[in-house]
């Protein structure tokens, strides 16, 4: 396979740009937006990304970090939704406990059910929710609120970093895509893969 280029990327890019200025330049210039390439070169210089391997590594790391943060935020949101639901069920359960106890004492009488149906249904729904979540001992509303507040704070921090990481990832991937397209690195690798697959057959 083609070794990852180690020479200074800017030197490589300049050489490629110069080489392009021969025959068919107009067509070539359409394919490679020169202004965009200049911006890419500035970006690479500012961020000290003068080796392709480093650019590749940074782009991959930024993508991984962005995905991790995204997963963290989703997990926090899922748990926060669970807490909100659980809190409602705990409150409903507490409010309707006496009515349900009386319903049991009344031998689950249909008359009693008809008179207190809303409360009994709320109580049953709460019990079902606790069973579904595998809760043996009910947490306090206070502890749930504390957990919710912690999750919310964490989510806000993660989201601020998520926005930064998304921007960084986009910039790195755009720079890498521009370099790949100009230098034909992607094509070389594709050709290598095709050759390897051909040998495997």
């Amino acid at each position: 396979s083609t070794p990852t280029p180690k020479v200074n990327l800017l030197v490589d890019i300049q050489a490629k740009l110069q080489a392009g200025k021969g025959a068919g330049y107009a067509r070539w210039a359409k394919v490679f937006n020169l202004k965009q390439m200049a911006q890419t070169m500035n970006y690479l210089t500012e961020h000290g990304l003068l080796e392709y391997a480093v650019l590749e590594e940074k782009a991959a790391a930024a993508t991984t970090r962005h995905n991790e943060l995204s997963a963290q935020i989703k997990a926090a949101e899922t748990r926060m939704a669970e807490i909100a639901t659980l809190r409602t069920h705990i409150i409903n359960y507490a409010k309707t406990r006496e009515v349900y106890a009386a319903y049991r004492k009344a031998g689950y009488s249909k008359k009693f059910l008809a008179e207190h149906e809303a409360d009994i249904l709320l109580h049953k729904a709460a019990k079902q929710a606790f069973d579904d979540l595998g809760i043996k001992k009910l947490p306090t509303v206070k502890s749930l609120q504390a957990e919710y507040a912690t999750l919310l704070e964490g989510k806000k921090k993660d989201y601020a970093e998520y926005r930064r990481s998304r921007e960084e990832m986009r910039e790195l991937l755009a720079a890498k895509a521009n370099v790949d397209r100009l230098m034909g690195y992607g094509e070389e690798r594709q050709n290598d893969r095709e050759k390897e697959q051909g040998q495997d057959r």
Side-chain angles (χ1 to χ4, degrees), residues 39-59:
Q39 285 169 349
T40 296
M41 287 172 78
N42 286 340
Y43 179 82
L44 296 174
T45 308
E46 281 168 24
H47 294 83
L49 300 168
L50 303 179
E51 268 185 43
Y52 184 78
V54 176
L55 172 62
E56 200 170 31
E57 192 184 309
K58 283 266 171 80

Side-chain angles (χ1 to χ4, degrees), residues 17 31 33 110 156 195:
L17 290 170
V31 178
N33 180 329
K110 284 185 180 174
K156 280 178 185 168
K195 277 180 199 162

